[in-house]
Amino acid sequence: QVQLQESGPGLVKPSQTLSLTCTVSGGSISSGSYYWSWIRQPAGKGLEWIGRIYTSGTINYNPSLKSRVTISLDTSKNQFSLKLSSVTAADTAVYYCARYYDILTGFHLWGRGTLVTVSS
Amino acid sequence: QSVLTQAPSASGTPGQRVTMSCFGSSSNIVSNAVNWYQQLPGTAPKLLIYSNNQRPSGVPDRFSGSKSGTSASLAISGLQSEDEADYYCATWDDSLNGWVFGGGTRLTVL
């Protein structure tokens, strides 16, 4: 079955760029018509959608983060990635990658999440 | 401040039925389907209800969802200790062109 796994540095300095990768195993990231998303959750707080990329490459970002976010797809590595620039302590959170088919079906597949701490 | 509003906490005793609500607006809940997620401590969220009232395979029928106007509800009947978790509602927002979540309701089984 398809699984998602986040990876990347657990510690990022303020003002630098946070970079994470989500590796898809058990299936091809190119097959099917799926949206691949990033979602984050600060400790003790709720979920915040960061953005999504469609299998075709169409991208949407959360307007509140749009100026700092880049999401990309690498079909050769079966991965999709997140870059968040100019980070501050407010970007400290568990970052999840997730997949959904359409807005009716919701996020039916999640990675385990990875904690990223922004600190000098 | 979440776009969707949920009560921060709820509680019930084993066997009881509990309901939690999610309030939104015309650009999100009214226009689009609502999904519910269950998040057990230290784990990733799990899809509990999709398309307002549909259960994914493997989700017990004790869990049910509904939607009316600008609000949605999640009901849990025959409450069990393992239901103690955070519950989040989510839907697409046409104005923001993105997903929005509620702040979550922490369910305590007394």
Side-chain angles (χ1 to χ4, degrees), chain B residues 14-93:
Chain B
Q16 200 173 22
R17 183 177 188 270
V18 296
T19 303
M20 53 191 78
S21 297
C22 173
F23 299 95
S25 67
S26 58
S27 66
N28 43 67
I29 288 183
V30 171
S31 309
N32 297 295
V34 175
N35 307 310
W36 290 88
Y37 299 89
Q38 178 193 58
Q39 187 175 33
L40 298 171
T43 69
K46 168 193 166 185
L47 183 64
L48 199 63
I49 297 287
Y50 69 94
S51 196
N52 303 322
N53 55 18
Q54 303 298 301
R55 287 185 307 277
S57 173
V59 174
D61 60 6
R62 302 187 296 105
F63 295 90
S64 61
S66 63
K67 187 182 86 167
S68 178
T70 58
S71 67
S73 296
L74 172 70
I76 309 173
S77 60
L79 197 62
Q80 299 179 5
S81 58
E82 56 259 41
D83 298 332
E84 193 160 278
D86 293 327
Y87 293 85
Y88 293 92
C89 58
T91 188
W92 185 261
D93 189 292

Side-chain angles (χ1 to χ4, degrees), chain A residues 37 39 41 44-49 52 60-63 96 100 102-108 110-113, chain B residues 32-35 37 39 43-47 50-52 86 88 92 94 96-104:
Chain A
S37 271
I39 295 162
Q41 184 175 35
K45 296 188 178 181
L47 301 163
E48 180 180 34
W49 177 74
R52 69 173 185 181
N60 294 97
Y61 298 129
N62 185 324
Y96 296 100
Y100 70 98
D102 62 38
I103 61 174
L104 286 175
T105 61
F107 295 98
H108 58 274
W110 294 70
R112 289 186 175 184
Chain B
N32 297 295
V34 175
N35 307 310
Y37 299 89
Q39 187 175 33
T43 69
K46 168 193 166 185
L47 183 64
Y50 69 94
S51 196
N52 303 322
D86 293 327
Y88 293 92
W92 185 261
D94 293 332
L96 298 175
N97 200 29
W99 287 96
V100 290
F101 289 89

Side-chain angles (χ1 to χ4, degrees), chain A residues 35 37 57 80 116:
Chain A
Y35 291 89
S37 271
F80 65 107
V116 178

Side-chain angles (χ1 to χ4, degrees), chain A residues 61-76:
Chain A
Y61 298 129
N62 185 324
S64 68
L65 299 169
K66 188 175 181 178
S67 63
R68 300 194 290 131
V69 175
T70 303
I71 294 176
S72 59
L73 202 64
D74 188 336
T75 55
S76 67

